[in-house]
């Protein structure tokens, strides 16, 4: 019996119920009068039947809630709509567009629906199958996310950054990075396919769902990885596939677990980049060198599958032998030369030239050069070898006494300066030092750079030679006579000369004579002229020498002594003191000011002499 038939029968029973005769209460006592029968027009039995029918009517018609999912039966299908019975007072209609996914819909099918409108303009109940599917789909998606359940999804289309997947009727996003563990270049190949996914993220506020196929693959790989890792042992040889090549090494897939071959473990010979010997996808054999406690990092090697090159090195090779090789690495301190495949020797920069000047190895060789060298040290156990290039030429110090005897003169190139002198190279490997005091007889030099420049060619004379210490002392001024030997007679104490006061200060004046190398000092009180005035700066007049010291190139003069007799006596006394080798005492002893002036001059001249 249909719902509408039950409703019609209930209404008919109520309308056709018999009416109670009021006269039945005429002879009844007032306290026994049936007022309910009188008011309703029904006797007790009819009222009971009516109550039962009303209860049947109320329980037959369900209340409809808009956010509730109902199950209904398709009772009729038109060109545009499906008529669905949900056990309500009237049947509802659903647009066939909502059943596009189900082309096999037929009368009698049970479908899930929600109320879209209780009544449209025609009083018709409007239902939605799509809303019901969506609500149920969100419940299913949340359940799958919480339980990590694997779900099936239909890839509908390509979108920016990934794919659109239909899961339970909801459009979910599949990022491109979550399709596979390997990078995907062609996304279109997946459109139209049904695949398994895991729901990895849900945003209820924006109704967004993110799914991943890669997560399933990684889970499978993790299981395989544990099985493989459990069997790993150091020294074990496995087959793998080159997965990724970097500048520092190569990652190899061992069948679900990755290992790294460091660039130094690829070949016994030096290489600049792993791509020189391997390529992506290449099948190779590797040996397990090491792994951490949980075996998450596995260190692999290839070169260890071959014998070490040092084991194949010529057994007759010994110290002193000559070898040829190619420069493979260059550093400031030296060059590594490969003398055999995988066998290298170091040529330290100090073994590249007999010169004592510290230079960089780049000044002698470059990477790729073919060089010849002499074996200096050879340690087969430690697998170390040192080489030398300079040993291919004779040591210039072998016959140094023959080529550079003391007193011999030569030409040399200025190599560098120090505060105390100049280093001059006479030939490759033979350097000598000229002390600053041996540069000039006359010039007062504070730093060698005032006298010459780097790479200048200087004439030198050998002053000293120490073969054992490999030291050579040179001189430059010794190539000429010392002019102060002549000045000693020309500017003897008591001689008078014409000079110019080039500088006048509180304690005296600087006097320049005709010989440019001779610069004298005149104490302040010796500048007084005969008329009582004083010698002024730039004035030319006569001066008498009152002190001369060749060793310190010091000359003290006086203008006053040229016309005062007492100064002449003082000069004679000073001359006597000089004869007694007391050249450090000045003749002007009458005032402390003069003594101070002479002391200052002495200090100035001594500094100039050094």
């Amino acid at each position: 019996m249909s719902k509408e038939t039950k409703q019609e029968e209930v209404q008919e029973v109520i309308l056709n119920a018999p009416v109670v005769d009021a006269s039945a209460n005429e002879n009844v006592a007032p306290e026994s009068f049936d007022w309910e029968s009188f008011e309703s027009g029904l006797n007790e039995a009819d009222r009971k039947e009516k109550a039962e029918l009303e209860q049947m009517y109320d329980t037959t018609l369900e209340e409809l809630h808009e956010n509730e999912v109902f199950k209904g039966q398709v009772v009729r299908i038109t060109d545009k709509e499906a008529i669905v019975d949900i056990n309500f007072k009237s049947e509802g209609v659903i647009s066939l567009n909502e059943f596009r996914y189900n082309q096999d819909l037929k009368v009698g099918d049970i479908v899930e629906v929600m109320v879209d409108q209780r009544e449209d303009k025609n009083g018709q109940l409007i239902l939605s199958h799509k809303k019901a599917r969506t609500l149920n789909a969100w419940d299913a998606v949340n359940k799958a996310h919480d339980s990590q359940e694997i779900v099936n999804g239909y890839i509908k289309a390509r979108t920016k950054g990934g794919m659109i997947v239909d899961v339970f009727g909801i459009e979910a996003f599949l990022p491109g990075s979550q399709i596979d563990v390997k990078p995907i270049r062609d996304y279109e190949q997946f459109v139209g396919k049904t695949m398994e996914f895991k729901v990895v993220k849900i945003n209820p506020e924006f109704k967004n769902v993110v799914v991943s196929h890669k997560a399933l693959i990684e889970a499978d790989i993790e299981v395989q990885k544990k099985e493989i890792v459990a069997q790993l042992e150091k020294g074990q040889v496995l087959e793998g596939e080159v997965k990724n090549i970097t500048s520092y090494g190569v990652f190899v897939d061992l069948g679900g677990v990755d290992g790294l071959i460091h660039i130094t473990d690829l070949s016994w010979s030096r290489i600049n980049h792993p791509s020189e010997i391997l390529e992506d996808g290449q099948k190779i054999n590797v040996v397990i060198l090491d792994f951490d406690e949980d075996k998450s990092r596995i260190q692999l090697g290839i070169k260890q599958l071959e014998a070490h090159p040092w084991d194949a090195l010529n057994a007759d090779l010994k110290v002193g032998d000559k070898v040829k090789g190619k420069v493979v690495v260059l550093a400031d301190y030296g060059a590594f030369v490969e003398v055999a495949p995988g066998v290298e020797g170091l040529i330290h920069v100090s073994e590249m030239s007999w010169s004592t000047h510290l230079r960089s190895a780049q000044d002698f060789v470059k990477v790729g050069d073919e060089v010849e060298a002499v074996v200096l040290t050879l340690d087969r156990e430690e697998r170390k070898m040192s080489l030398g290039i300079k040993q291919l030429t004779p040591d210039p110090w072998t016959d140094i006494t023959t080529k550079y005897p003391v007193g011999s003169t030569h030409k040399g190139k200025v190599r560098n300066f120090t505060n105390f002198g100049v280093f001059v190279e006479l030939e490759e490997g033979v350097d000598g030092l000229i002390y600053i005091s041996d540069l000039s007889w006359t010039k007062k030099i504070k730093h060698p750079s005032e006298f010459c420049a780097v790479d200048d060619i200087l004439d030198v004379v050998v002053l000293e030679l120490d073969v054992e210490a490999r030291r050579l002392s040179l001189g430059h001024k010794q190539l000429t006579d010392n002019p102060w030997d002549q000045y000693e007679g020309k500017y003897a104490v008591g001689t008078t000369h014409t000079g110019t006061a080039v500088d006048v200060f509180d304690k005296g004046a600087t006097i320049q004579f005709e010989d440019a190398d001779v610069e004298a000092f005149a104490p302040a009180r010796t500048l007084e002229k005969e008329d009582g005035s004083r010698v002024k700066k730039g004035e030319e007049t006569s001066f008498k020498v009152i002190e001369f010291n060749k060793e310190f190139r010091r000359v003290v003069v006086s203008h006053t002594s040229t016309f005062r007799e007492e100064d002449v006596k003082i000069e004679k006394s000073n001359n006597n003191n000089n004869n007694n080798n007391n050249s450090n005492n000045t003749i002007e002893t009458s005032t402390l000011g003069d003594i101070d002036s002479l002391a200052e001059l002495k200090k100035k001249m001594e500094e100039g002499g050094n």
Side-chain angles (χ1 to χ4, degrees), residues 373-493:
V374 175
V375 178
L376 303 180
T377 64
L378 180 63
D379 189 336
R380 293 180 182 271
E381 291 185 3
E382 293 293 328
R383 293 169 177 171
K384 293 181 179 179
M385 181 190 305
S386 62
L387 307 173
I389 294 178
K390 71 182 184 181
Q391 289 76 9
L392 295 172
T393 58
D395 183 354
W397 281 81
T398 302
D399 57 349
I400 194 73
T401 55
T402 303
K403 291 189 293 184
Y404 302 103
V406 174
S408 60
T409 58
H410 308 274
K411 289 184 180 294
K413 179 186 289 187
V414 176
R415 301 299 299 181
N416 62 294
F417 301 128
T418 67
N419 290 331
F420 53 84
V422 181
F423 282 99
V424 176
E425 184 181 59
L426 300 180
E427 65 171 273
E428 182 75 18
V430 179
D431 292 345
L433 172 65
I434 306 176
Y435 283 99
I436 196 170
S437 59
D438 290 321
L439 288 173
S440 174
W441 292 113
T442 58
K443 291 184 179 179
K444 298 175 182 180
I445 302 170
K446 293 182 179 179
H447 191 273
S449 59
E450 300 173 7
F451 183 81
C452 57
V454 174
D455 293 334
D456 280 356
I457 303 299
L458 287 182
D459 290 319
V460 295
V461 61
V462 178
L463 302 180
E464 295 180 13
L465 178 60
D466 187 339
V467 178
E468 291 184 4
R470 300 172 81 98
R471 291 178 182 172
L472 200 59
S473 178
L474 306 176
H476 176 72
K477 72 180 185 181
Q478 288 80 1
L479 294 172
T480 59
D481 295 332
N482 186 354
W484 284 84
D485 291 338
Q486 300 176 5
Y487 298 153
E488 187 176 20
K490 183 177 180 178
Y491 294 96
V493 174

Side-chain angles (χ1 to χ4, degrees), residues 268-532:
W268 291 114
S269 300
R270 292 181 184 264
I271 58 175
N272 296 319
H273 196 276
S275 59
E276 294 177 14
I277 59 175
L278 292 178
E279 58 185 20
D280 285 335
Q282 183 177 346
K283 299 285 186 179
I284 57 173
N285 288 328
V286 294
V287 60
I288 298 177
L289 302 180
D290 199 3
F291 47 76
D292 56 15
E293 292 183 359
D294 60 1
K295 300 181 180 179
S296 61
R297 294 183 180 178
I298 304 172
Q299 183 180 343
L300 306 175
I302 292 180
K303 72 179 185 181
Q304 290 79 5
L305 296 173
E306 301 175 355
H308 198 288
W310 271 84
D311 298 336
L313 188 63
N314 187 349
D316 297 330
L317 186 66
K318 62 185 182 301
V319 173
D321 288 349
K322 294 180 181 180
V323 293
K324 291 183 178 180
K326 183 172 69 174
V327 178
V328 291
V329 175
L330 200 58
D332 288 340
Y333 59 85
F336 288 92
V337 177
E338 188 175 52
V339 298
V343 178
E344 296 176 1
L346 171 64
I347 307 177
H348 193 270
V349 66
S350 63
E351 302 298 339
M352 292 183 174
S353 169
W354 291 109
S355 175
T356 57
H357 296 293
L358 294 179
R359 285 185 280 178
S360 174
Q362 286 89 338
D363 296 334
F364 300 95
V365 294
K366 61 180 182 296
V367 174
D369 281 355
E370 296 286 344
V371 297
E372 185 178 24
V374 175
V375 178
L376 303 180
T377 64
L378 180 63
D379 189 336
R380 293 180 182 271
E381 291 185 3
E382 293 293 328
R383 293 169 177 171
K384 293 181 179 179
M385 181 190 305
S386 62
L387 307 173
I389 294 178
K390 71 182 184 181
Q391 289 76 9
L392 295 172
T393 58
D395 183 354
W397 281 81
T398 302
D399 57 349
I400 194 73
T401 55
T402 303
K403 291 189 293 184
Y404 302 103
V406 174
S408 60
T409 58
H410 308 274
K411 289 184 180 294
K413 179 186 289 187
V414 176
R415 301 299 299 181
N416 62 294
F417 301 128
T418 67
N419 290 331
F420 53 84
V422 181
F423 282 99
V424 176
E425 184 181 59
L426 300 180
E427 65 171 273
E428 182 75 18
V430 179
D431 292 345
L433 172 65
I434 306 176
Y435 283 99
I436 196 170
S437 59
D438 290 321
L439 288 173
S440 174
W441 292 113
T442 58
K443 291 184 179 179
K444 298 175 182 180
I445 302 170
K446 293 182 179 179
H447 191 273
S449 59
E450 300 173 7
F451 183 81
C452 57
V454 174
D455 293 334
D456 280 356
I457 303 299
L458 287 182
D459 290 319
V460 295
V461 61
V462 178
L463 302 180
E464 295 180 13
L465 178 60
D466 187 339
V467 178
E468 291 184 4
R470 300 172 81 98
R471 291 178 182 172
L472 200 59
S473 178
L474 306 176
H476 176 72
K477 72 180 185 181
Q478 288 80 1
L479 294 172
T480 59
D481 295 332
N482 186 354
W484 284 84
D485 291 338
Q486 300 176 5
Y487 298 153
E488 187 176 20
K490 183 177 180 178
Y491 294 96
V493 174
T495 59
T496 302
H497 307 271
T498 301
T500 303
V502 294
D503 190 17
V504 178
F505 41 93
D506 292 342
K507 294 184 178 182
T510 301
I511 311 302
Q512 180 67 58
F513 294 121
E514 60 180 350
D515 294 304
D517 298 334
V518 180
E519 194 175 75
F521 171 70
R525 72 179 306 275
T526 68
L527 296 178
E528 183 180 351
K529 296 194 292 185
E530 194 170 1
D531 60 2

Side-chain angles (χ1 to χ4, degrees), residues 42 97 112 124 130 151 302 321 401 443 446 467 520 542:
L42 298 174
N97 289 333
E112 293 181 331
Q124 179 66 57
K130 182 178 180 181
V151 300
I302 292 180
D321 288 349
T401 55
K443 291 184 179 179
K446 293 182 179 179
V467 178
S542 59

Side-chain angles (χ1 to χ4, degrees), residues 582-601:
N582 292 324
S583 60
N584 291 333
N585 296 324
T586 64
I587 64 169
E588 296 292 336
T589 58
S590 58
T591 66
L592 291 175
D594 291 342
I595 294 175
D596 292 339
S597 299
L598 291 174
E600 183 177 346
L601 175 64

